[in-house]
Amino acid sequence: MERSEELIHIYHTNDIHSHFDSWPQITNYLVSQKQNHVERNEISFRFDIGDHVDRFHPFTEGTSGKGNVALLNRAHYDAVTIGNNEGITLSKNALNSLYKGANFDVILCNLTDSDGFTPRWINRYKIYNTENDIRIGVIGATAMYSEFYSKLGWVIEEPKSALMKVVQEIRHSVDMIICLSHLGVHEDRSLAEECDHIDVILGAHTHHLFIDGEMVNDTLLAATGKFGEYVGRVEIRFDKKQMKIVDKMASVIHVRDLPWDEEDHEEVQELLQAGNEAMDEKLFYNPAPLQQALFRPSTLSAFFGAALLAYTEAECVMYNAGIFLGSLDTGWVTKRHLHSLLPHPINPCVITLDGEDLLEVYKLSTNPEWPEIEIKGLGFRGTIMGAMLYEGIHLNENGELIAGGRVVLPGDTFTLATLDMFTFGYFFPLLKDAQKEYLMPEMIRDIMAWYGIKKAMESMDIFNRDE
């Protein structure tokens, strides 16, 4: 006898950020649950809601994120959306090729190429027709980082309006709508309040955790925190006679409660090892040790400051010593060395400032409390700020600020190269709206590599001329 009700099982993860410690347990759980549902003739889906990729991990860095896709394939995911880590920490070419070989759909309605076309790897939405004739519409969107996407050659649309357009497009063709939202908890609540036709929003981006979900109007919100600590589960009870959802509930499973499978662990470790090998590529020979210092200038910071100054061609440079997570010894410097030293997904930025604003920025940067401040987020993968350091800018004997060899005066214009995390308004409010150019996709470790190679080639040229 045919069942009048169907139970649809949805498993979801978000904001893994390349934290793979629990991935073997997650993989084993998702694969085994899928098999159980197949044996019971039940409907099930597995979704990831973005920021699975994070270039802080050498495996991700070494494989340009393709290793993450292999892990998602192995766990039998059905669909994903992208987060800002996939979207703006990878070059355009890297993102365009990231999902080649993916055995799952990428669902995203608010990103197009700069020419206005949607790339082939993106589905604006997906309608899954189950064996039991239930039509499940899945939509997705990612957070809006307009300046960063535009620098990379993408056009990012305001996500809520983009989602609502897709909802209107498909709502008469489906029996339910599930949204993969890498927008953050406040945007999810707002979307649920303004759009009556979304049944479930699987959330991400703000690393929020809903143990039992949250109802906003008739929309169920679910999210699993961050770093793979939890796997989310949503159950939707659908009445086929009434052709409507009659119940839905969300829960999470802590990874400590999931079984450990040695075979899964070994296979994941083999993938990680294969990806890590790419990090052993030699970049340049370092002729003298470059030592780190957290609360003062150092040989390492001087090298970095000179690199940023030369690469950006700005008049002056400002950065913090806390970005350095180690030192560089004499000898060959590999991708792994620079990645360990500067794992942050941070881009350089050149800001054009009036002298008055540059004086204000410099004054703020000398706050004696800042070196001990703990920094979380903003792309920073260290612990504390450390000393604020400069290149091409100093106080002269008269107490005047000199930048690029000129006295800093109101009315004059100066260019300052710094880290993108200082432009978001948290430390320097006036930089948020200042005229600036983000250098992308170059990260600060790429600038170090460029400068090291440049210096090595210059040394070789001098050596050859001397001969």
Side-chain angles (χ1 to χ4, degrees):
M1 183 175 178
E2 186 180 3
R3 295 174 295 199
S4 63
E5 289 187 352
E6 290 288 347
L7 193 60
I8 299 164
H9 304 267
I10 297 170
Y11 299 88
H12 58 105
T13 53
N14 61 268
D15 297 289
I16 297 295
H17 283 281
S18 294
H19 284 72
F20 301 124
D21 291 345
S22 61
W23 194 253
Q25 296 98 299
I26 292 173
T27 298
N28 180 63
Y29 176 69
L30 295 180
V31 172
S32 61
Q33 288 298 104
K34 179 180 180 180
Q35 184 60 38
N36 290 339
H37 294 310
V38 168
E39 292 172 358
R40 295 196 294 264
N41 195 30
E42 295 175 338
I43 303 165
S44 70
F45 293 93
R46 287 138 296 277
F47 300 126
D48 185 78
I49 323 301
D51 277 2
H52 191 283
V53 167
D54 194 317
R55 291 178 59 184
F56 97 93
H57 197 290
F59 170 68
T60 299
E61 180 79 352
T63 63
S64 297
K66 292 179 182 292
N68 295 67
V69 172
L71 294 176
L72 289 164
N73 278 343
R74 193 174 172 281
H76 296 185
Y77 276 76
D78 293 285
V80 307
T81 196
I82 73 167
N84 45 289
N85 272 266
E86 287 90 359
I88 63 176
T89 72
L90 296 174
S91 69
K92 187 175 186 180
N93 287 338
L95 181 56
N96 269 328
S97 63
L98 176 63
Y99 296 105
K100 287 182 179 177
N103 298 329
F104 50 82
D105 299 311
V106 181
I107 301 174
L108 180 64
C109 71
N110 67 323
L111 186 70
T112 57
D113 208 327
S114 55
D115 58 10
F117 291 100
T118 300
R120 292 182 179 179
W121 55 272
I122 292 178
N123 300 274
R124 291 184 59 250
Y125 61 86
K126 193 77 178 181
I127 298 175
Y128 296 96
N129 295 290
T130 73
E131 293 181 1
N132 301 312
D133 297 321
I134 300 173
R135 301 164 303 171
I136 301 172
V138 181
I139 61 179
T142 193
M144 190 174 176
Y145 288 82
S146 302
E147 286 189 79
F148 290 93
Y149 277 110
S150 64
K151 286 294 294 182
L152 291 167
W154 299 110
V155 175
I156 186 81
E157 185 179 349
E158 197 284 315
K160 190 192 304 179
S161 60
L163 286 168
M164 292 175 74
K165 281 191 289 188
V166 174
V167 167
Q168 291 301 316
E169 189 175 337
I170 70 171
R171 70 186 183 92
H172 296 299
S173 304
V174 298
D175 300 306
M176 68 184 71
I177 295 178
I178 297 164
C179 179
L180 314 183
S181 167
H182 197 90
L183 305 180
V185 63
H186 301 300
E187 289 295 311
D188 290 350
R189 287 170 176 152
S190 176
L191 179 64
E193 288 171 356
E194 296 182 33
C195 187
D196 299 330
H197 305 292
I198 300 176
D199 298 289
V200 177
I201 297 176
L202 306 178
H205 188 47
T206 46
H207 300 179
H208 53 290
L209 171 66
F210 290 140
I211 297 296
D212 301 306
E214 176 179 290
M215 293 298 299
V216 176
N217 294 335
D218 196 36
T219 301
L220 175 63
L221 275 57
T224 68
K226 63 180 180 178
F227 301 164
E229 188 177 3
Y230 294 90
V231 176
R233 181 170 182 171
V234 171
E235 293 182 343
I236 302 173
R237 193 172 298 278
F238 187 84
D239 188 307
K240 293 198 292 182
K241 290 182 178 179
Q242 302 180 67
M243 291 304 290
K244 70 175 186 178
I245 294 171
V246 294
D247 191 25
K248 51 192 171 186
M249 59 181 293
S251 59
V252 294
I253 302 98
H254 199 289
V255 291
R256 65 173 173 242
D257 299 323
L258 299 179
W260 174 272
D261 186 289
E262 185 62 34
E263 182 178 344
D264 285 315
H265 177 72
E266 289 178 357
E267 289 190 17
V268 170
Q269 290 305 309
E270 287 176 7
L271 280 172
L272 294 178
Q273 180 57 35
N276 279 332
E277 290 175 0
M279 299 296 286
D280 291 327
E281 179 185 341
K282 293 177 179 177
L283 296 174
F284 62 90
Y285 188 85
N286 183 36
L290 299 174
Q291 297 297 325
Q292 170 201 30
L294 195 53
F295 298 113
R296 58 176 175 79
S298 66
T299 52
L300 179 62
S301 68
F303 185 92
F304 176 79
L308 198 53
L309 197 66
Y311 191 85
T312 64
E313 298 183 346
E315 291 174 275
C316 54
V317 165
M318 178 183 70
Y319 56 99
N320 61 304
I323 59 172
F324 306 113
L325 305 190
S327 301
L328 288 178
D329 294 328
T330 301
W332 281 103
V333 175
T334 65
K335 285 186 175 180
R336 188 187 308 280
H337 290 137
L338 289 187
H339 185 269
S340 297
L341 182 72
L342 296 166
H344 329 277
I346 290 176
N347 304 97
C349 180
V350 178
I351 308 170
T352 301
L353 292 169
D354 183 89
E356 183 177 0
D357 291 334
L358 182 55
L359 287 167
E360 176 64 19
V361 168
Y362 183 81
K363 180 180 177 181
L364 284 173
S365 73
T366 59
N367 186 327
E369 298 179 359
W370 277 16
E372 299 283 356
I373 288 178
E374 185 175 343
I375 304 177
K376 292 184 178 180
L378 306 176
F380 186 68
R381 300 293 187 256
T383 305
I384 65 174
M385 176 79 82
M388 292 298 295
L389 303 172
Y390 316 92
E391 191 76 28
I393 185 169
H394 66 278
L395 291 173
N396 67 12
E397 62 275 9
N398 298 320
E400 297 171 312
L401 188 65
I402 307 298
R406 295 185 289 147
V407 176
V408 178
L409 296 173
D412 290 344
T413 300
F414 296 83
T415 52
L416 170 71
T418 190
L419 315 181
D420 65 19
M421 71 175 188
F422 291 136
T423 70
F424 303 143
Y426 185 78
F427 294 103
F428 302 99
L430 66 84
L431 294 186
K432 186 174 183 180
D433 298 318
Q435 179 186 339
K436 50 187 172 284
E437 179 184 5
Y438 294 105
L439 304 186
M440 302 181 69
E442 302 93 332
M443 292 189 178
I444 52 177
R445 57 179 170 269
D446 299 321
I447 307 305
M448 283 279 282
W450 171 84
Y451 192 66
I453 294 168
K454 178 177 182 291
K455 297 294 286 184
M457 292 178 65
E458 288 173 354
S459 296
M460 183 63 70
D461 185 51
I462 291 172
F463 176 77
N464 289 337
R465 287 205 305 267
D466 288 344
E467 284 193 329

